[in-house]
Amino acid sequence: MYRYDEFDHAFVQERVAQFRDQVTRRLNGELTEEEFRPLRLMNGLYLQLHAYMLRVAIPYGVLSSRQLHKLADIATKYDRGYAHFTTRQNLQYNWPRLEDMPDILDELASVEMHALQTSGNCIRNITADQYAGVAADEIEDPRICGEILRQWSSLHPEFSFLPRKFKIAITGSPRDRAAIKLHDIGIVMVRNPAGETGCEFWVGGGQGRTPVIAKCINAFVPRRDMLSYSEAILRVYNMHGRRDNIYKARIKILVNEIGIDEFRRQTDEQWALIRGGALDVPAEEIARITAYFAPPAYEKLAPNPAGFVQKRDSDPAFAAWLRSNVAAHKIPGYAIVNISLKPIGGIPGDATDVQMHVAADLAKRYSFDELRVTHEQNLTFADVRQSDLYDLWRQLGEHGLATPNIGLVSDIIACPGLDYCALANARSIPVAQRISERFADLKRQHDIGDLKIKISGCINACGHHHVGHIGILGVDKKGTEFYQITLGGSADENASIGEILGAAFSYDEVVDAVEKVVETYLKIRTGPDENFLAAVRRAGIAPFKDALYAVR
Amino acid sequence: MQYVKNSKISPDEWLHADTDGPLPAAGDLIVPLARWRAEKDQLLARKTRLGVRLASSESPEIIRDDLGRFDLIALEFPVFRDGRAYSYARLLREQYGFKGELRAVGNVLYDQFSFMHRCGFDAYEVQKDIDAQRFSRALSEFTVRYQPDPDGSPSAIELRHQPQRNAKIQRGRP
């Protein structure tokens, strides 16, 4: 993984010193809360319902064991012994004190981490495919461009006061696990006919109250031009994005209002002015960063070793975990392991300090000292020998980290909702917990198959409800929580926005409604090979509507 | 309010003209864009220096053909979070080659100085005295920058791959 050089170290230390000074000026009254607010937000510090919340950046979702140990230590020392992994591959502490903040940032800096631009109207943490470097169909490791963009976007002098927040996601593989079409800029690494790798740029995707699928703005930008091209897009947005209405300020609204062709024309016009200049990424820099993401020292192994096959065939619980949580690796004899942070009845994405230490130790032992955070709020060990899978599974299980439910009905994305968030209209976490408990029977979950439920506690859509196969949106009706259900959303390479099923359900009714939807799917599916999303796409929402609203 | 020019608190020799009413008879004058458009001839007939003030909704592109007429361009920051003028400043300096004074006016606070400076501003109407007094400190908070600056200061990428330049800068440091 990437390691800081002298410049990166100095930069982050200088940023901590700057924030320490800002906190001092706030505490001594030199800055009003109104003046301090945008400054603290630019460093990931929110004021929530009950306390401050600190959001730590995990660039493109990659962590070393050492970093995860440090994150666990911070949870013990400055918080309440747990932390929360978010849909943007970040980590949140829910109870830190303002006075402790500079010290927390110092501790993060000691392991090459920071909270830069995890909030505010600036370019946020760059996210990427959690299978970076290990997916068989990958064109190029997305973390290389991710790191180049991370550096370029850090305290950008021109783009730190954009109309609204700006999110970039990258996938190196045509199979999209990073939801790139739901980002302000989405990048797909591609290869041109000459065999060179480059970036396919998508622009104007997003969720919130106006969900939009991104549009392709440029099918091939050479890597050396990726910063000048990004800068051109951002400059058009910074000058022309709407600032009169916070709900219309994202780039998706600008792209929709002027049209993708006009947006492309303006971008090209700006790009022509700066292309080939100081923003060119030199080949030496691409090579320098690429070297950090060189494959680890894989052993030459035979696939499916006998001991592994024997355990798989004799232990059904292990086999079930392999089926849902373990994915194919590009190197024979290795596997990709997904660690569910969605135990039955648990809070999606939460991990205790002990669990974080355990995951860090196991990653060190079994996966080259590295792990990834997924946008679906789980963890990934990218490089595990198949022969180690059984031991790893047993040790994960001892700490509640082996729930075999990745991609299944209880692998729910949920925002913090009304339990923490000042913007929420309704609770999300307890709805996720109750659905998870309703489908606690893992055999039943495996029978149902691939099903992504996503829950947001308000229209800002942090829980990605628009792109859930089943989406649940909490709304407030005269002081009471209600939940609107959408069907057929998807965040992958065939992204789609879910369709609203009908009238919203009360907090008490919503879990029954979800179960009814699932039962209806089981009834109408052509067979176990037709997953939930495929069935909805084939049959439409009518059968689900009939099933749900006929009984009311 | 304090006026900072080239990192130092300085006396401000310029007057801001109101949106209407009679123009001051003498003195270097900054006029709103609307007055420039309406009273061009009268303004050019003055023997004083001339500046134009652009609101954050007014792109410098609209005065591109007139840039040679101005010794100063003032760009407004109506609120902290309105960052349009950062792009305008870079366009003026890097693309339109404007060499006169580029002045930040409006909500101009300590924590913006380094961003503004790096986008090409060289003059500031600073709201708080204490911010103005610490102007140079704001510019020295970072020794590393990840983006190339219009003033030619090297980015981390350039320093990494141009060792001669790096050595020169290291030597130049106190």
Side-chain angles (χ1 to χ4, degrees):
Chain A
M1 66 186 285
Y2 185 70
R3 296 301 309 265
Y4 282 10
D5 67 3
E6 57 185 302
F7 302 106
D8 303 310
H9 274 295
F11 178 82
V12 168
Q13 276 154 11
E14 287 167 350
R15 179 68 179 105
V16 173
Q18 182 188 45
F19 192 67
R20 191 181 285 277
D21 176 60
Q22 289 168 345
V23 170
T24 305
R25 287 187 283 137
R26 171 68 192 114
L27 291 173
N28 72 19
E30 197 185 303
L31 288 173
T32 63
E33 175 55 27
E34 197 192 340
E35 288 168 339
F36 180 58
R37 189 171 169 274
L39 302 178
R40 66 169 164 75
L41 286 178
M42 280 183 68
N43 214 40
L45 187 60
Y46 283 76
L47 196 51
Q48 299 234 78
L49 274 180
H50 313 290
Y52 279 106
M53 177 271 277
L54 175 67
R55 184 180 291 155
V56 177
I58 301 174
Y60 34 86
V62 178
L63 282 173
S64 67
S65 300
R66 175 166 164 258
Q67 290 175 323
L68 186 55
H69 279 305
K70 175 60 81 179
L71 294 172
D73 288 339
I74 291 172
T76 311
K77 189 167 166 190
Y78 299 100
D79 206 283
R80 297 188 180 175
Y82 70 96
H84 178 74
F85 290 95
T86 78
T87 57
R88 297 217 71 254
Q89 299 177 318
N90 293 318
L91 178 122
Q92 293 181 180
Y93 295 112
N94 285 305
W95 310 96
R97 299 185 319 151
L98 179 59
E99 302 86 296
D100 291 333
M101 213 54 68
D103 292 338
I104 297 175
L105 296 175
D106 264 339
E107 298 223 19
L108 290 171
S110 74
V111 293
E112 306 179 13
M113 295 189 78
H114 58 70
L116 257 87
Q117 295 170 207
T118 53
S119 177
N121 294 335
C122 47
I123 302 168
R124 301 289 188 89
N125 184 37
I126 317 285
T127 56
D129 182 3
Q130 67 270 19
Y131 291 178
V134 295
D137 62 351
E138 187 172 276
I139 305 287
E140 181 178 279
D141 192 324
R143 296 172 297 179
I144 299 164
C145 287
E147 177 59 27
I148 292 169
L149 284 166
R150 182 192 73 82
Q151 295 190 21
W152 162 79
S153 65
S154 293
L155 293 187
H156 196 293
E158 185 178 349
F159 305 133
S160 292
F161 304 92
L162 297 167
R164 200 74 180 86
K165 58 188 167 186
F166 201 90
K167 301 175 181 177
I168 302 177
I170 313 182
T171 173
S173 149
R175 175 93 200 280
D176 180 10
R177 283 168 289 264
I180 68 110
K181 291 185 186 170
L182 295 148
H183 283 75
D184 298 285
I185 287 179
I187 295 173
V188 186
M189 300 311 298
V190 290
R191 190 169 283 128
N192 70 6
E196 300 154 336
T197 53
C199 307
E200 180 179 86
F201 269 76
W202 292 69
V203 71
Q207 301 192 53
R209 62 190 63 203
T210 317
V212 184
I213 307 289
K215 294 162 190 78
C216 185
I217 177 167
N218 192 325
F220 189 87
V221 176
R223 291 183 306 177
R224 66 176 306 149
D225 295 323
M226 64 178 297
L227 295 185
S228 59
Y229 194 72
S230 300
E231 192 137 323
I233 291 177
L234 265 297
R235 183 167 291 169
V236 172
Y237 171 55
N238 191 42
M239 293 197 294
H240 303 300
R242 286 181 62 173
R243 293 179 188 260
D244 59 328
N245 180 339
I246 174 176
Y247 301 116
K248 296 185 188 290
R250 294 288 288 271
I251 194 172
K252 62 190 174 188
I253 304 292
L254 176 63
V255 172
N256 274 358
E257 282 181 357
I258 67 176
I260 183 66
D261 293 331
E262 173 60 14
F263 188 85
R264 184 183 296 114
R265 190 194 65 75
Q266 292 187 20
T267 298
D268 286 345
E269 191 178 290
Q270 292 298 331
W271 192 29
L273 298 174
I274 56 178
R275 186 179 188 180
L279 279 167
D280 250 28
V281 189
E284 306 94 280
E285 178 68 356
I286 296 175
R288 184 185 78 90
I289 289 178
T290 302
Y292 286 110
F293 297 105
Y298 292 120
E299 294 167 54
K300 213 166 161 51
L301 300 172
N304 300 319
F308 160 73
V309 171
Q310 188 268 322
K311 293 288 186 201
R312 184 189 67 193
D313 295 346
S314 61
D315 189 334
F318 178 53
W321 179 76
L322 289 174
R323 197 156 65 238
S324 53
N325 290 36
V326 177
H329 196 286
K330 66 177 182 186
I331 303 291
Y334 284 86
I336 302 169
V337 171
N338 290 292
I339 295 166
S340 169
L341 296 180
K342 321 282 178 67
I344 299 304
I347 297 176
D350 272 15
T352 65
D353 44 6
V354 175
Q355 287 178 319
M356 288 192 269
H357 282 304
V358 167
D361 284 335
L362 292 175
K364 187 178 179 74
R365 183 154 165 210
Y366 293 113
S367 194
F368 295 100
D369 210 11
E370 183 198 286
L371 67 165
R372 290 94 183 272
V373 180
T374 80
H375 92 270
E376 291 178 324
Q377 303 182 283
N378 295 309
L379 302 178
T380 297
F381 286 6
D383 298 293
V384 181
R385 285 185 299 218
Q386 283 180 307
S387 55
D388 287 334
L389 285 171
Y390 189 74
D391 287 345
L392 173 59
W393 171 67
R394 292 193 49 158
Q395 291 173 69
L396 288 170
E398 284 167 23
H399 297 278
L401 293 169
T403 312
N405 64 344
I406 295 292
L408 303 181
V409 58
S410 62
D411 182 9
I412 299 169
I413 289 184
C415 72
L418 204 48
D419 292 284
Y420 293 98
C421 179
L423 303 173
N425 289 323
R427 288 169 291 173
S428 308
I429 291 170
V431 174
Q433 290 172 308
R434 288 166 57 223
I435 293 171
S436 169
E437 279 158 3
R438 178 68 62 92
F439 292 95
D441 176 0
L442 287 161
K443 185 178 175 308
R444 186 180 176 205
Q445 292 197 40
H446 279 256
D447 289 343
I448 296 164
D450 294 344
L451 177 46
K452 294 180 193 291
I453 297 184
K454 307 190 185 202
I455 309 173
S456 305
C458 82
I459 192 63
N460 290 314
C462 298
H464 294 193
H465 67 276
H466 294 299
V467 292
H469 301 168
I470 299 177
I472 300 174
L473 166 65
V475 294
D476 173 279
K477 284 193 186 171
K478 295 179 185 147
T480 308
E481 295 160 296
F482 274 82
Y483 295 87
Q484 203 173 67
I485 294 182
T486 52
L487 295 186
S490 170
D492 63 12
E493 61 280 7
N494 300 309
S496 56
I497 306 296
E499 204 178 330
I500 297 173
L501 205 47
F505 297 90
S506 71
Y507 180 80
D508 290 331
E509 295 167 329
V510 66
V511 179
D512 290 337
V514 169
E515 189 170 29
K516 195 83 173 170
V517 167
V518 173
E519 282 170 357
T520 305
Y521 152 67
L522 291 173
K523 249 180 248 161
I524 67 163
R525 72 180 178 186
T526 54
D529 287 343
E530 187 183 50
N531 66 28
F532 182 89
L533 184 60
V536 172
R537 283 181 173 165
R538 172 181 54 80
I541 64 168
F544 299 93
K545 224 170 168 154
D546 290 348
L548 272 178
Y549 296 100
V551 297
R552 288 188 113 193
Chain B
M1 205 271 287
Q2 294 276 17
Y3 171 67
V4 173
K5 177 78 192 263
N6 294 330
S7 303
K8 290 188 189 66
I9 296 176
S10 309
D12 185 2
E13 294 161 355
W14 290 80
L15 296 169
H16 282 281
D18 293 330
T19 47
D20 48 26
L23 294 169
D28 297 336
L29 196 61
I30 304 169
V31 298
L33 176 66
R35 286 202 85 154
W36 163 250
R37 287 171 149 174
E39 300 166 53
K40 211 170 183 171
D41 294 339
Q42 195 188 337
L43 286 164
L44 289 173
R46 289 169 66 96
K47 296 290 174 229
T48 64
R49 292 187 295 169
L50 185 65
V52 68
R53 176 177 175 129
L54 300 180
S56 65
S57 57
E58 295 165 343
S59 162
E61 201 172 348
I62 46 190
I63 52 162
R64 194 170 176 177
D65 294 338
D66 293 332
L67 280 182
R69 314 270 193 188
F70 303 117
D71 300 287
L72 178 153
I73 296 174
L75 298 176
E76 284 179 22
F77 290 84
V79 288
F80 187 82
R81 64 171 189 279
D82 187 337
R84 280 176 278 194
Y86 294 101
S87 287
Y88 299 160
R90 291 196 65 189
L91 277 180
L92 281 164
R93 287 290 193 225
E94 294 167 55
Q95 305 309 330
Y96 304 166
F98 180 70
K99 299 274 193 287
E101 175 173 321
L102 203 50
R103 179 184 290 212
V105 299
N107 194 260
V108 179
L109 300 167
Y110 179 88
D111 296 282
Q112 299 157 312
F113 292 159
S114 123
F115 293 121
M116 290 171 171
H117 175 78
R118 294 187 55 199
C119 285
F121 286 96
D122 61 348
Y124 308 81
E125 293 183 9
V126 179
Q127 290 191 326
K128 294 186 197 174
D129 290 359
I130 188 163
D131 289 355
Q133 286 153 20
R134 290 184 193 154
F135 188 89
S136 298
R137 177 172 167 258
L139 297 197
S140 64
E141 285 178 338
F142 286 89
T143 59
V144 177
R145 55 201 66 194
Y146 283 117
Q147 307 81 13
D149 276 10
D151 68 2
S153 305
S155 67
I157 291 184
E158 291 170 288
L159 293 177
R160 279 174 187 139
H161 301 290
Q162 297 177 19
Q164 313 88 330
R165 196 168 176 185
N166 191 5
K168 204 166 131 198
I169 285 165
Q170 294 291 346
R171 274 202 304 280
R173 278 188 191 142

